[in-house]
Amino acid sequence: MKAELRGNSSSISLQNPSLFNTTQSSISGALKECVGSLDGACIEKLLLHFASALESNDVTLAQQVMWVLNNVASSIGDPNQRLASWFLRALISRAARVSPPTINFDGRSALQRRLMTVTELAGYVDLIPWHRFGFCASNSIIFKAIQGFPRVHILDFSITHCMQWPTLIDALAKRPEGPPSLRISVPSWRPPVHPLLNVSSEEVCQRLTNFAKFKDVPFEINVFEVPPLSTMDAGISQLGSSDLYDLFLNQLNPSTLELRDDEALVINCQNWLRYMPDEQKGSTSHDTSCRDAFLEIIKDLSPCIVTVVDEDCDLGTLSLASRITTCFNYLWIPFDAFETFLPKNSPQRIEYEADIGHKIENIIGFEGIQRIERLESGINLSKRMANKGFQSVPFCEETVKEVKILLDEHASGWGMKKDDDDMLVLTWKGHNSIYATAWVPCSYGVEY
């Protein structure tokens, strides 16, 4: 017997089909309350019941809850149903790895990691302000920080294939005193997460070079090698290794990066820090995590500005229940936003949600070094930056104005707030979604 995930082409095989032949009346009282309800709180409760049953190897309860979830979740339903379908898939995938002898779900991911063209990537970025908000806020404060410098070097740590930079290049081309000589350096390795391109980094660099030439901005872009991360099969099982990340960190030195004394150095981190492992590498109080080590290294490079943008959510906990609750309530935001302007059967919507589904599978389905999606909220990031010797830089009113103009291009549910700790936060219906921050080393000695 196979229980189909409604709205999906994949199926789940049960080792003992008779255990799944249950009626609604046999489900426990806690679950009866949720049967027939599409309320997000009830769906969240069901997911927690399912996770608890899997963790305790309670086969009967797991299959009963899955029966309910299977009749509630739908990849073509409302936002809560669509989100639930990806959580259900992630939990089943987890069950296949964690306890295959007891509950033999065929939980292998049937999701294909799609590759985009550059044009499709541009549409992906423009769909909702999830990425554009950070681009806009960061570019504005970078533009201000490099005023008066004839040469600028940007170290770009991001996952969006340089999509941030055409807007900055265009702004620099209009600078009254003329554009600076701009150099951008990107690592040869990036986490294997969406968005993924079907073209090489060399082609991306050439496109950006051509654009800068068209705008008459002196430009150079370099890809610095990160062996062996750039040559290895970047499978998820290898990515969390501290040794591999140590090799990456070792490349962040003035020689490899070709830093020059006559350049203003900018360090840009867009959705990047979450992929730096945060586990303490040793057993003593003096040992540090790769995430902290990364911050210490970039501080020592003496940048004139550091921008850090990421999703405003804490998902580093070991507790599966906590991750389910936090992740469900957070990732509801993009699912709900799509509902306002994309049809339920829109291929673009389904593909974008599938990209988020990959993230959910990693957050919920994996543990240890395999779980690379370890988000940190803006509040906690700010504490970390201060502890590592950075001071925050406030966003000026001109930046706030530019971001507001950007948000006017999107649905009315999007908003922005400016926190007391110099942070800009993108919101959806009042819920925090993305934060943007800017920093300088405390020793830099520049007043903003």
Side-chain angles (χ1 to χ4, degrees):
M1 173 184 173
K2 290 186 177 180
E4 299 291 335
L5 278 178
R6 193 170 63 183
N8 293 302
S9 59
S10 60
S11 60
I12 307 151
S13 300
L14 302 181
Q15 184 180 32
N16 189 347
S18 64
L19 290 175
F20 193 70
N21 295 329
T22 181
T23 64
Q24 182 172 315
S25 60
S26 67
I27 300 174
S28 68
L31 302 182
K32 283 183 180 180
E33 301 173 6
C34 296
V35 176
S37 170
L38 301 183
D39 176 77
C42 277
I43 293 176
E44 179 187 325
K45 185 185 296 185
L46 285 168
L47 292 169
L48 289 172
H49 275 298
F50 190 29
S52 177
L54 292 178
E55 296 292 279
S56 61
N57 289 325
D58 189 333
V59 180
T60 302
L61 179 59
Q63 293 176 344
Q64 287 178 345
V65 181
M66 191 178 73
W67 180 84
V68 180
L69 280 169
N70 202 46
N71 284 274
V72 171
S74 169
S75 64
I76 56 172
D78 68 21
N80 283 326
Q81 290 176 291
R82 298 168 84 102
L83 183 58
S85 72
W86 291 110
F87 272 81
L88 178 57
R89 185 191 293 267
L91 284 167
I92 291 170
S93 179
R94 178 187 178 90
R97 283 186 296 272
V98 174
S99 53
T102 308
I103 307 176
N104 188 22
F105 300 114
D106 182 10
R108 291 172 294 178
S109 177
L111 297 176
Q112 297 299 313
R113 291 185 173 271
R114 65 185 177 116
L115 301 179
M116 299 181 189
T117 65
V118 174
T119 301
E120 288 172 334
L121 176 61
Y124 176 93
V125 169
D126 288 342
L127 191 61
I128 58 175
W130 206 258
H131 293 289
R132 292 184 70 200
F133 166 80
F135 293 172
C136 182
S138 297
N139 284 348
S140 181
I141 203 163
I142 289 171
F143 185 87
K144 179 183 177 183
I146 62 176
Q147 283 181 351
F149 287 98
R151 295 178 179 82
V152 177
H153 185 189
I154 299 175
L155 296 183
D156 182 25
F157 300 100
S158 65
I159 61 171
T160 47
H161 309 281
C162 295
M163 286 297 294
Q164 176 178 347
W165 304 123
T167 304
L168 180 64
I169 291 172
D170 183 60
L172 292 174
K174 301 171 183 175
R175 202 165 74 163
E177 67 271 31
S181 176
L182 177 63
R183 189 159 63 104
I184 297 177
S185 295
V186 297
S188 60
W189 169 84
R190 68 185 286 281
V193 295
H194 291 286
L196 300 172
L197 280 184
N198 67 353
V199 299
S200 66
S201 58
E202 289 76 14
E203 182 172 339
V204 172
C205 292
Q206 187 58 55
R207 285 171 178 260
L208 200 57
T209 300
N210 293 341
F211 180 79
K213 183 177 180 180
F214 174 73
K215 291 293 181 177
D216 293 323
V217 175
F219 183 75
E220 177 185 343
I221 185 166
N222 304 304
V223 179
F224 64 90
E225 290 298 320
V226 186
L229 291 177
S230 58
T231 57
M232 76 175 188
D233 175 15
I236 229 171
S237 63
Q238 295 174 291
L239 283 174
S241 170
S242 293
D243 292 337
L244 292 174
Y245 277 103
D246 284 342
L247 290 169
F248 166 71
L249 295 176
N250 288 338
Q251 300 304 305
L252 305 183
N253 61 77
S255 175
T256 302
L257 299 173
E258 298 182 14
L259 300 188
R260 302 167 189 169
D261 293 336
D262 62 346
E263 292 178 326
L265 179 62
V266 173
I267 297 178
N268 181 68
C269 302
Q270 301 270 336
N271 302 298
W272 184 267
L273 282 183
R274 76 176 84 156
Y275 300 111
M276 296 289 102
D278 197 28
E279 293 83 4
Q280 189 171 300
K281 290 187 288 184
S283 57
T284 72
S285 59
H286 299 290
D287 293 312
T288 188
S289 68
C290 288
R291 191 173 302 183
D292 285 337
F294 174 80
L295 294 177
E296 290 171 354
I297 289 170
I298 64 173
K299 181 187 67 176
D300 291 342
L301 297 177
S302 299
C304 70
I305 196 76
V306 177
T307 54
V308 180
V309 175
D310 217 321
E311 298 174 351
D312 199 8
C313 183
D314 281 307
L315 288 170
T317 178
L318 293 174
S319 167
L320 175 61
S322 178
R323 292 205 306 272
I324 289 173
T325 298
T326 304
C327 188
F328 187 85
N329 285 284
Y330 177 71
L331 289 179
W332 162 85
I333 293 172
F335 279 79
D336 190 60
F338 297 146
E339 181 79 0
T340 63
F341 67 98
L342 289 175
K344 294 185 183 299
N345 60 349
S346 161
Q348 187 179 29
R349 178 178 178 178
I350 291 171
E351 287 178 343
Y352 205 123
E353 290 175 347
D355 294 342
I356 300 173
H358 280 291
K359 180 186 300 185
I360 293 170
E361 182 170 16
N362 186 261
I363 293 168
I364 303 303
F366 290 87
E367 295 293 347
I369 63 173
Q370 294 178 308
R371 180 161 58 86
I372 63 171
E373 292 279 354
R374 302 197 179 204
L375 289 166
E376 182 173 37
S377 68
I379 292 176
N380 287 334
L381 180 277
S382 294
K383 294 176 181 176
R384 184 190 295 271
M385 296 295 287
N387 289 337
K388 290 302 166 186
F390 290 89
Q391 67 181 59
S392 62
V393 178
F395 291 91
C396 66
E397 288 307 312
E398 183 64 26
T399 299
V400 172
K401 181 180 177 181
E402 290 177 17
V403 173
K404 287 181 177 178
I405 292 173
L406 165 69
L407 296 183
D408 285 342
E409 301 174 15
H410 295 273
S412 60
W414 294 106
M416 182 197 65
K417 64 182 182 181
K418 189 174 182 180
D419 281 0
D420 294 336
D421 52 0
D422 299 329
M423 185 189 311
L424 290 185
V425 181
L426 175 69
T427 63
W428 172 254
K429 296 181 178 179
H431 299 274
N432 289 14
S433 55
I434 309 292
Y435 65 82
T437 61
W439 307 86
V440 291
C442 291
S443 59
Y444 193 71
V446 173
E447 293 294 331
Y448 281 84

